[in-house]
Amino acid sequence: MSQQKEQFLIDTERIAFDENHRKVIKFNISKYDLAVDKGKRQYADLALARSRAARIKRNVVNDLEGYLKEFEFNFQKNGGQIIWAVDDKEAVNAVLEIARKHQVKTVVKSKSMVSEEIDLNPHLQAYGVETLETDLGEYIVQLADERPYHIVTPAMHKSKEDIAQLYHQKFNTPEKFTPEEITYYTRIKLREKFVKADMGITGGNFLISDIGGIAVTENEGNGVLSMSFPKVHVAIVGIEKIIPSMRDLDLFWSILSTHGTGQKITVYNTVITGPRKSDELDGPENMYLILLDNGRTNLANQEHQKLALSCIRCGACLNVCPVYKSIGGHAYETTYSGPIGSVITPHLRGMEEYNHLSFASSLCGKCTEECPVNIPLHELLLYNRRDAVKAGFTDKSFNLVMKAYKIAMNKRWIIETFSPNVKNIGISLTFSNSWGPRRKLPVFQTSFTERWKKMHNR
Amino acid sequence: MEVDLFIPCFIDQLYPDTGFNLVKILEKLGIQVHYNTKQTCCGQMAFNSGYWDEALSLGEKFIKDFSTGRIIVGPSASCIGMVKNHYPKLFHNTSHHNTYKEIQSNIFEISDFLVNHLHITNLGARFPHKVTVHDSCSALREYGLTHEVRTLLANVKDIEIVEMNESDTCCGFGGTFSVKNEAISTSMAEQKVKNALETGAEFIVSTESSCLLHIEAYIKKHNLPIKTIHIVDILASGWEL
């Protein structure tokens, strides 16, 4: 058993029955559900919009190299600099190198899951660069010294009371600080940081191939400030984030916001095409784009699972997933949690270490039903499971159970050799541990087949 | 009309009465029921667990056992969903291609068969109890059932149907998921049963015996005041042939 799996089983045992966790998540996701139901009504034909978006992303996944070349050409034409990072180390080193070159002391960051993926903040801190998250949710999570709980709403696991308490501890604000007061307080605190910061780091929601632009979607304006105030802007984006054309944005912006937060469109949508030009009023003097692979090419090489590279990171599959709602985002111990995380993490970080996530699903299919780009998530989990078994990464004892099951089910007489009582003893010996102390084992009866045979004298 | 009966392995072994109630219903409708006593399992458990070689072997047997050309009816949307949705992954462009395709177009889950193919929604059943419906994931999302269960239940005499919160949320069974991730799986069952208990229903009814197996396992362990029942068992209540 991999160390990661062992930890996962311990963590899920702890959290799955935590009533308080259940209550907070249920409440927070119910708010989201209401908004998304309403948001979806803006579409006359949501299924059509989804299939259009899906087809566009499929085309990209099938010719990722071609699109990346086109994007690179167009982006560089505008004066931006591209750094290709094969893995997290290369990406981190690239950021540190840029920080060194421009003598960066402070960094403001807008929300970026890719920066979580490469574990950027600790590296920058260790390098002596003060790094501040400026998305409210990320800021809260950073204050609490935690990881994002959710790819879109990082502090979803916290109630407004939890957050007021956290601010009280850190800043000695009143214990009953309201969400409005918290937001205003944070805004004042952050504003001065934006003005002083030497470098802004953002992610990117889409890489627009035909114009060589990066599209950033956000609700707080902190993204725009991170890109425009500091003299240096670094965007770190996964190579799969390509969309072919500027003309695709109307579709993708709205389908992303509808499924991410239920908004018709998010509050701030920015397209940037390089550093400030001489005739422009604002913008950074230097702009770098780090294009991160970090296992994505490996995923692109999987015949079926490569579809997961279509993901636009809206988080909808997390919000509908009963497993995610039961264990929360932290138990996964991955950057990307929920159904999409369980599909891609084994390919990004190693099948041997992370295949257990592909098995941690009841395959209920809600994720597939919800995905705005029609990724058959639960089916891709099946392919992951197949690959894990083939590679010999699953428990040996379980392999034996499956072999025995195959042999028994292939020969009716084997099943009939044993009486129900013997089967009950057998199942209790083999499964009572794994079935656990909180459920009763089912009871074998005289089988339908035997009774049928008797009735029909055969 | 003649049909082949498909009794999934766990119903055969654990819930044989449900199988006989299905026979009772079909015979009431004047349908001649054939049962191949060699049948065992569609291979779903192996397939869902990643053991595709084992699933292939069991699937081959299934195809052999059911290649009569007759309509096939069974009381489980998940096993039939396996045949409908996943057999192509195992048998597409193999020597079994034509046979599995024929079986796919012939095989029906019972509530789908009754409502959409025989257009029968009232079997004259009587069940004087308060029930709540659990929509099984496989019936809803794998097989594509929508209103069928509630349509059939609505015509049962003296039944009271109350809806639970999150009726279409998974019960947490998921085959071998239930043993590989016992805590998560049981936690999901607990939440399902809680929602059902809140309705004050006496029974949780479903088209899917595997969900019911799981829900029952939690209920019995905790001695909770609610029972599980397959829709077929309700439809076969209150009348005799």
Side-chain angles (χ1 to χ4, degrees):
Chain A
M1 196 188 294
S2 74
Q3 210 186 323
Q4 287 84 351
K5 181 181 175 186
E6 225 166 301
Q7 192 59 45
F8 180 73
L9 291 177
I10 294 168
D11 292 345
T12 51
E13 171 68 41
R14 186 177 44 76
I15 192 116
F17 297 92
D18 181 334
E19 288 288 348
N20 191 47
H21 174 255
R22 259 187 218 171
K23 209 178 89 195
V24 173
I25 295 312
K26 221 171 228 174
F27 179 78
N28 287 348
I29 290 190
S30 73
K31 295 270 172 204
Y32 160 91
D33 286 342
L34 283 177
V36 168
D37 278 349
K38 215 173 132 204
K40 281 180 180 168
R41 277 181 243 143
Q42 74 176 304
Y43 286 93
D45 190 344
L46 180 60
L48 178 66
R50 278 172 51 158
S51 70
R52 276 186 60 207
R55 206 170 55 224
I56 291 170
K57 285 301 285 188
R58 299 295 188 276
N59 285 342
V60 169
V61 170
N62 286 328
D63 184 19
L64 195 52
E65 198 181 328
Y67 278 108
L68 282 167
K69 278 180 187 157
E70 185 193 30
F71 173 82
E72 179 182 41
F73 178 79
N74 290 328
F75 185 77
Q76 287 174 339
K77 214 166 54 182
N78 297 327
Q81 299 173 59
I82 286 190
I83 298 157
W84 297 88
V86 89
D87 58 17
D88 50 345
K89 279 187 205 72
E90 284 193 12
V92 167
N93 286 338
V95 177
L96 295 182
E97 177 58 28
I98 296 165
R100 193 192 56 76
K101 191 172 153 194
H102 296 282
Q103 294 165 343
V104 170
K105 298 271 178 298
T106 57
V107 165
V108 282
K109 267 185 73 200
S110 81
K111 198 179 134 28
S112 151
M113 288 312 290
V114 161
S115 76
E116 293 291 334
E117 182 183 334
I118 62 173
D119 206 19
L120 183 60
N121 290 8
H123 284 98
L124 279 169
Q125 315 267 19
Y127 196 69
V129 175
E130 188 200 341
T131 309
L132 193 73
E133 294 290 347
T134 62
D135 170 272
L136 181 58
E138 286 285 347
Y139 182 76
I140 291 165
V141 168
Q142 193 184 27
L143 268 187
D145 198 20
E146 291 175 6
R147 293 271 187 176
Y149 177 90
H150 186 286
I151 59 174
V152 175
T153 42
M156 190 196 254
H157 57 307
K158 294 196 183 296
S159 64
K160 57 182 195 283
E161 291 80 14
D162 293 340
I163 297 166
Q165 198 55 41
L166 176 70
Y167 272 57
H168 174 67
Q169 281 166 16
K170 298 283 175 184
F171 306 122
N172 203 23
T173 50
E175 278 192 74
K176 296 235 151 68
F177 231 25
T178 65
E180 291 76 16
E181 287 168 329
I182 290 169
T183 310
Y184 187 68
Y185 181 85
T186 314
R187 183 189 159 97
I188 303 281
K189 259 188 125 47
L190 289 179
R191 195 50 70 119
E192 56 184 274
K193 300 283 183 186
F194 280 121
V195 181
K196 283 188 194 148
D198 307 308
M199 180 160 107
I201 297 179
T202 70
N205 296 86
F206 304 105
L207 301 170
I208 308 159
S209 192
D210 65 348
I211 61 158
I214 306 170
V216 176
T217 287
E218 40 135 3
N219 273 314
E220 297 167 20
N222 63 309
V224 187
L225 294 179
S226 303
M227 294 184 280
S228 50
F229 268 164
K231 287 188 174 154
V232 183
H233 173 212
V234 177
I236 314 169
V237 186
I239 52 170
E240 82 286 11
K241 287 290 181 82
I242 293 264
I243 55 171
S245 166
M246 186 81 176
R247 287 188 302 273
D248 300 320
L249 275 176
D250 65 330
L251 177 64
F252 280 98
W253 267 342
S254 58
I255 212 159
L256 172 62
S257 59
T258 300
H259 290 80
T261 54
Q263 291 165 286
K264 285 185 176 170
I265 193 102
T266 39
V267 178
Y268 296 93
N269 289 285
T270 314
V271 177
I272 35 172
T273 52
R276 179 159 67 107
K277 297 204 172 85
S278 53
D279 59 338
E280 288 173 344
L281 283 175
D282 52 17
E285 286 166 17
N286 288 284
M287 182 178 170
Y288 301 89
L289 170 63
I290 299 173
L291 286 173
L292 181 71
D293 185 325
N294 211 25
R296 286 162 177 79
T297 300
N298 179 38
L299 183 51
N301 288 333
Q302 310 300 317
E303 186 189 352
H304 301 281
Q305 293 97 317
K306 73 175 176 189
L307 285 182
L309 287 171
S310 312
C311 175
I312 56 171
R313 302 280 188 267
C314 69
C317 62
L318 283 65
N319 298 333
V320 297
C321 176
V323 171
Y324 180 86
K325 285 193 248 194
S326 296
I327 64 174
H330 287 148
Y332 290 82
E333 291 280 356
T334 57
T335 309
Y336 308 102
S337 56
I340 185 66
S342 298
V343 169
I344 65 175
T345 308
H347 301 284
L348 301 184
R349 290 211 198 164
M351 185 58 86
E352 183 162 15
E353 296 83 358
Y354 288 96
N355 74 77
H356 63 279
L357 293 179
S358 301
F359 288 92
S361 162
S362 64
L363 304 172
C364 83
K366 272 211 174 182
C367 46
T368 300
E369 190 176 66
E370 200 60 24
C371 178
V373 286
N374 293 342
I375 303 171
L377 287 153
H378 76 292
E379 294 218 1
L380 301 188
L381 290 176
L382 287 169
Y383 285 107
N384 278 359
R385 292 179 183 192
R386 176 199 65 180
D387 294 349
V389 168
K390 246 192 202 154
F393 294 147
T394 45
D395 297 344
K396 300 285 168 285
S397 60
F398 205 78
N399 296 345
L400 284 178
V401 169
M402 280 295 154
K403 283 227 161 67
Y405 158 76
K406 180 192 112 175
I407 292 167
M409 286 297 162
N410 256 318
K411 299 271 184 289
R412 184 86 222 179
W413 65 265
I414 301 179
I415 308 171
E416 282 167 22
T417 304
F418 304 104
S419 73
N421 280 338
V422 173
K423 285 176 195 160
N424 284 325
I425 295 166
I427 194 173
S428 140
L429 288 175
T430 40
F431 280 108
S432 62
N433 258 344
S434 49
W435 192 243
R438 293 169 283 226
R439 294 176 297 195
K440 226 174 154 218
L441 278 167
V443 181
F444 281 86
Q445 317 277 335
T446 303
S447 74
F448 177 90
T449 308
E450 280 175 65
R451 282 167 61 184
W452 177 279
K453 277 186 186 166
K454 249 180 221 148
M455 283 164 66
H456 295 81
N457 296 319
R458 279 160 61 191
Chain B
M1 182 190 264
E2 297 180 34
V3 303
D4 276 330
L5 193 60
F6 166 37
I7 299 295
C9 54
F10 66 97
I11 297 181
D12 177 54
Q13 297 291 317
L14 306 172
Y15 301 106
D17 289 340
T18 298
F20 282 103
N21 280 332
L22 175 56
V23 175
K24 183 179 161 188
I25 290 169
L26 293 172
E27 285 181 347
K28 180 181 186 175
L29 300 173
I31 295 168
Q32 194 185 340
V33 178
H34 297 268
Y35 182 71
N36 180 349
T37 55
K38 288 200 184 89
Q39 66 178 269
T40 55
C41 171
C42 64
Q44 183 184 196
M45 184 167 89
F47 182 80
N48 281 357
S49 309
Y51 294 81
W52 288 23
D53 289 344
E54 284 77 0
L56 187 85
S57 151
L58 296 175
E60 277 175 346
K61 174 170 161 51
F62 183 92
I63 290 170
K64 211 168 98 197
D65 289 341
F66 284 95
S67 56
T68 61
R70 280 190 287 260
I71 283 175
I72 305 158
V73 177
S76 164
S78 82
C79 303
I80 296 168
M82 166 75 191
V83 176
K84 283 197 174 283
N85 295 328
H86 298 310
Y87 270 24
K89 297 184 182 69
L90 298 172
F91 299 114
H92 188 74
N93 273 347
T94 67
S95 58
H96 301 290
H97 186 89
N98 291 347
T99 343
Y100 101 76
K101 283 274 188 200
E102 190 187 9
I103 288 176
Q104 274 191 323
S105 55
N106 281 344
I107 194 164
F108 299 99
E109 186 276 337
I110 180 64
S111 37
D112 175 35
F113 185 63
L114 289 172
V115 175
N116 301 320
H117 298 273
L118 299 180
H119 303 291
I120 286 168
T121 54
N122 191 340
L123 285 146
R126 180 175 174 267
F127 194 70
H129 298 282
K130 194 170 171 179
V131 305
T132 189
V133 180
H134 162 63
D135 295 289
S136 98
C137 304
S138 52
L140 213 58
R141 287 177 281 270
E142 199 77 44
Y143 187 92
L145 290 182
T146 51
H147 62 95
E148 290 79 357
V149 172
R150 285 173 181 80
T151 301
L152 287 164
L153 287 177
N155 288 321
V156 173
K157 237 174 111 187
D158 299 332
I159 200 169
E160 188 189 344
I161 306 163
V162 279
E163 291 293 339
M164 69 168 117
N165 284 332
E166 300 175 353
S167 71
D168 69 342
T169 296
C170 181
C171 72
F173 180 58
T176 53
F177 165 71
S178 65
V179 293
K180 281 176 179 274
N181 290 276
E182 180 265 323
I184 311 175
S185 168
T186 311
S187 153
M188 287 160 72
E190 181 179 276
Q191 296 172 68
K192 171 59 64 178
V193 173
K194 235 177 225 169
N195 281 327
L197 281 171
E198 274 169 18
T199 65
E202 299 160 72
F203 290 91
I204 301 173
V205 55
S206 175
T207 48
E208 188 51 51
S209 292
S210 55
C211 305
L212 295 174
L213 177 161
H214 191 229
I215 296 167
E216 184 186 32
Y218 184 84
I219 290 172
K220 285 204 166 157
K221 187 72 187 189
H222 299 270
N223 293 315
L224 298 169
I226 194 163
K227 292 190 219 80
T228 54
I229 190 165
H230 195 283
I231 186 166
V232 158
D233 299 327
I234 291 183
L235 297 179
S237 295
W239 55 271
E240 291 309 323
L241 279 173

